[in-house]
């Protein structure tokens, strides 16, 4: 059995795994100021980014779903790994050889299931790529050549060939130390009558990679007439591969998608290759399934899809009826995007691969450039089914298109398309068309409910939160004044808990060095349920002050919370005085009065300091 990974190795893995780089392989991150980064959360669906990353302290936290942690936690959650498997994955990424406290070096075969399956798929991809060069793969090479792809193109995309044998890949991988159970579970082999047999035989092979570049499955194209299977065959769902959550080409396209704020959706592997080689490096394709909600989630994370309407998603479809139907299915999902959506349809029905072969790279780029807004395409495709030469046909077309127009989120855009619809139908009566849209599509166009107003935040609770953020992120700015605060200075339950953690860790005096070391120390002392999440959140949440003003801000927050404590003492003193008889209990009354005067003077001083922020 493998032993426990050494603490020193875990620390080294964290050090050599920059959290922004690791998370950036899964989502696009943008500067959020103050050294922080922000993006769309990969753990829940959201419209605007609430996922924050703080490289300085190596932490992330989502203020939408409260997921947070360090780089190891992120890999655990995003890849569904155990802690040890996540450390091993990051170690492999960073080129670190791990040692274990029991048993020394750990052979790779002792790694977790996911790591083993990833290695098996990598070995399979290399095997298939090598076999593309053998004589028996001539049909595969001819297929590629006829579609305008050269050997270097096949190498770039890792295209390979599965020999027309029952057990070629299975024998190879078993010889590499993988087990039958692993090959079957990963979808590389299936059980035959006499043992495991290859899933793909006599086919051209495309390795399908996840966003990080790991091979997680394969797509296989039939080459032989004797093959009675479907034209395209994909890896079945497995612990690595979920077809509804996979986009072919995302590993190559993700950086350009982020850079250009554009994603092009095509229908096949050769279309992705053609687009990339023709100068459209943002192209991706689904793998054996229609484009759906899970694919949208993947793209939104790289587009950093927000309300600014800066990005664009372009669907390419054949110009035939099936292509129009596919485009209308895409329209049904349009509302899940915030970016602008388009359709690029080649009138002669050529897909990007055939278009590149017949008309060259420029024609592919022109196809994408000639995109048509998806709303426009959907509306015009809908009304084209009706006879617009009769009033009955026009009314029927209007009623069919009305729900589409009514469903447009942007009010101004909705009005413009209503005007266009009137023109396309030939009514020349905008008021009538708009009224009909309101009647037929009323359920979709109805006034949106006003979001419930958030309860106002108590100013004293806000001060508590800001002070605790400083204690976690900039402890040296607070000094002994923070450690001397009465625990009752904090009232919100989360703040009381976090204050206890800070005191248990030795107070801010023990964290004067700050940074990752201080956060790790706090995490070690965060024993209560939910305490670790609080530490992570306050380590990531931005301080509401510019970096150059943080010292003054810290002093102001300390003075503010001290003033709040004095306010409470004043209230208590006044309450006690009201219960005294100033004549019969004159001595005690005068004593309290003197304390009250001193407290009010102290409050004035503290408020002046607090106002200095």
């Amino acid at each position: 059995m493998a032993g426990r990974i050494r603490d020193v190795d875990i620390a080294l893995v964290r050090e050599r795994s920059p959290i922004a780089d690791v998370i950036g392989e899964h989502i696009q991150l943008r500067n959020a100021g103050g050294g922080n980064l922000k993006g769309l959360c990969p753990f829940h669906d959201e419209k605007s980014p609430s996922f924050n990353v703080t490289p300085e302290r190596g932490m992330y936290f989502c203020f939408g779903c409260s997921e947070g942690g360090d780089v190891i936690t992120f890999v655990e959650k995003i890849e569904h790994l155990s802690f040890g498997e996540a450390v091993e994955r990051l170690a492999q990424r960073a080129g670190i050889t791990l040692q274990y406290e029991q048993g020394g070096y750990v052979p790779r075969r002792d790694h977790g299931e996911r790591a083993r399956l990833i290695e098996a798929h990598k070995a399979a991809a290399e095997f298939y790529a090598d076999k593309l060069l053998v004589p028996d793969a001539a049909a595969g090479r001819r297929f590629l050549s006829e579609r305008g792809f050269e050997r270097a193109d096949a190498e770039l995309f890792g295209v390979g060939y599965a020999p027309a044998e029952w057990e070629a890949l299975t024998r190879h991988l078993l010889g590499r130390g993988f087990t039958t159970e692993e090959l079957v579970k990963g979808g590389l082999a299936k059980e035959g009558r006499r043992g495991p047999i290859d899933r793909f035989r006599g086919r051209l092979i495309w390795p399908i990679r996840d966003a990080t570049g790991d091979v997680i499955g394969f797509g296989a194209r039939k080459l032989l007439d004797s093959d009675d299977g479907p034209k395209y065959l994909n890896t079945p769902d497995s612990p690595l591969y979920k077809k509804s959550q996979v986009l072919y080409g995302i590993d190559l396209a993700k950086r350009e998608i982020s850079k250009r704020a554009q994603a092009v959706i095509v229908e096949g592997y050769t279309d992705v290759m053609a687009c990339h080689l023709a100068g459209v490096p943002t192209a991706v394709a689904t793998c054996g399934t229609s484009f759906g909600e899970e694919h949208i989630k993947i793209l939104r994370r790289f587009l950093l899809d927000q309300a600014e309407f800066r990005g664009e998603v372009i669907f390419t479809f054949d110009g035939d009826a099936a292509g129009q139907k596919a485009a209308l299915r895409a329209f049904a999902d349009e509302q899940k995007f915030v970016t602008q959506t388009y359709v690029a349809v080649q009138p002669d029905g050529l897909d990007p691969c055939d278009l590149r072969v017949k008309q060259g790279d420029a024609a592919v780029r022109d196809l994408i450039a000639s995109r048509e807004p998806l709303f426009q395409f959907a509306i015009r495709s809908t009304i084209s089914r009706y006879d617009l030469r009769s009033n009955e046909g026009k009314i029927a077309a209007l009623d069919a298109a009305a729900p589409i127009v009514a469903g447009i989120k942007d009010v101004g855009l909705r009005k413009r398309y209503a005007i266009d619809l009137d023109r396309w139908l030939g009514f020349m009566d905008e008021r009538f068309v708009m009224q009909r849209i309101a009647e037929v599509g009323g359920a979709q166009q109805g006034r949106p409910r006003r979001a419930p107003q958030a309860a106002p935040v108590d100013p004293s609770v806000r001060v508590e939160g800001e002070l605790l953020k400083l204690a976690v992120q900039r402890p040296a700015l607070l000094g002994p004044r923070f450690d001397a605060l009465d625990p009752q200075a904090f009232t919100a339950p989360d703040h009381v808990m976090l204050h206890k953690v800070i005191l248990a860790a030795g107070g801010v005096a023990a964290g004067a060095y700050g940074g990752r070391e201080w956060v790790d120390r706090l995490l070690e002392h965060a024993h209560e349920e939910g305490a670790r999440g609080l530490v992570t959140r306050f380590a990531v949440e931005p301080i509401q002050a510019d970096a150059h003003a943080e010292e003054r801000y810290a002093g102001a927050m300390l003075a503010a919370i001290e003033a709040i404590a004095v306010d409470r003492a004043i209230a208590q003193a006044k309450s006690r005085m009201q219960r005294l008889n100033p004549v019969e209990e004159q001595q005690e009354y005068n004593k309290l009065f003197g304390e009250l005067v001193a407290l009010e003077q102290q409050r004035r001083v503290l408020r002046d300091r607090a106002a200095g922020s």
Side-chain angles (χ1 to χ4, degrees), residues 128-368:
Y128 288 139
D130 289 342
K131 293 301 180 183
L132 185 62
L133 304 178
V134 303
D136 289 348
R141 294 193 296 272
R142 185 166 57 252
F143 176 94
L144 293 171
S145 178
E146 289 171 352
R147 285 155 181 78
F149 302 122
E150 301 176 356
R151 178 174 173 177
D153 304 329
E155 290 175 354
L156 173 64
F157 289 90
V159 183
Y161 174 73
E165 303 174 31
W166 289 103
E167 303 166 0
L169 176 67
T170 300
R171 282 196 309 270
H172 175 74
L173 294 181
L174 291 176
R176 292 279 298 269
F178 296 100
T179 67
T180 298
E181 182 184 2
E182 288 170 336
L183 302 189
V184 173
K185 182 172 279 191
L188 296 167
K190 56 184 179 181
E191 291 289 357
R193 284 178 292 182
R194 299 181 181 177
I197 59 174
D198 293 355
R199 181 167 293 276
F200 307 117
R201 301 184 303 277
R203 288 176 173 255
L204 202 58
I205 299 290
W206 281 266
I208 299 168
R209 296 182 171 89
D210 64 14
T212 67
D214 285 330
V215 179
I216 56 174
F218 295 94
R221 209 276 187 189
K222 180 166 69 173
L223 295 171
L224 306 174
D225 293 335
S226 58
D227 188 338
D228 58 0
K231 181 187 288 188
Y232 281 95
L233 192 63
N234 288 85
T235 294
D237 279 1
S238 74
L240 295 183
Y241 182 88
K242 301 286 188 294
K243 64 182 179 182
S244 64
Q245 301 171 14
V246 173
L247 285 169
Y248 175 72
I250 192 65
D251 57 310
L252 297 175
K254 64 180 183 181
R255 297 200 184 282
E256 287 298 324
I257 288 174
S258 295
K259 180 179 174 182
R260 303 184 184 204
Q262 177 200 75
V264 175
I265 316 300
V266 297
E267 293 192 310
Y269 307 123
T270 56
D271 292 331
V272 171
M273 293 175 68
C275 283
H276 280 251
L277 295 171
V280 184
T282 57
V284 293
T286 58
C287 301
T289 185
S290 58
F291 188 84
E293 188 169 348
E294 293 299 319
H295 301 118
I296 292 173
K297 291 179 182 178
I298 295 170
L299 287 180
R300 289 192 67 233
R301 295 201 296 267
F302 290 110
L303 286 165
L304 196 54
D305 189 20
Q306 295 186 71
E308 290 96 337
F309 268 79
R310 288 180 301 193
E312 55 184 34
V313 176
I314 304 168
F315 295 92
T316 64
F317 299 106
D318 294 342
D320 58 15
Q324 288 194 9
K325 187 175 180 181
L328 291 174
R329 275 201 311 270
F331 171 78
D333 284 324
E334 190 278 338
Q335 304 287 16
K336 296 185 177 74
F337 281 112
V338 181
T339 49
Q340 300 172 86
T341 45
Y342 297 87
V343 175
V345 177
Q346 182 67 14
D348 53 16
L350 295 177
D351 59 33
C353 181
D354 291 337
L355 183 62
R356 178 172 179 261
V357 171
K358 294 187 177 182
Q359 299 182 31
D361 291 349
V364 177
R365 296 193 297 271
D366 289 344
L367 168 64
I368 304 305

Side-chain angles (χ1 to χ4, degrees), residues 71-126:
V71 67
I72 297 174
T73 313
F74 180 83
V75 173
E76 280 184 77
K77 293 183 185 296
I78 200 77
E79 302 284 3
H80 305 290
L81 304 176
S82 67
F83 177 84
E85 289 170 342
V87 173
E88 288 168 342
R89 180 130 163 92
L90 287 168
Q92 186 178 7
R93 178 184 182 277
I96 298 169
T97 302
L98 295 174
Q99 289 189 340
Y100 291 67
E101 291 180 341
Q102 303 167 22
Y105 293 102
V106 176
R108 197 168 293 278
R109 63 175 174 273
D110 287 336
H111 285 189
E113 177 186 89
R114 180 182 173 85
R116 290 284 296 165
L117 294 181
I118 288 287
E119 289 176 12
H121 279 73
K122 180 181 178 183
E126 293 169 351

Side-chain angles (χ1 to χ4, degrees), residues 12 84 116 122 129 211 349 392-393 433 470 524 562 573:
L12 184 62
R116 290 284 296 165
K122 180 181 178 183
E392 290 82 359
V433 169
L470 287 161
E524 288 173 11
E562 288 168 341

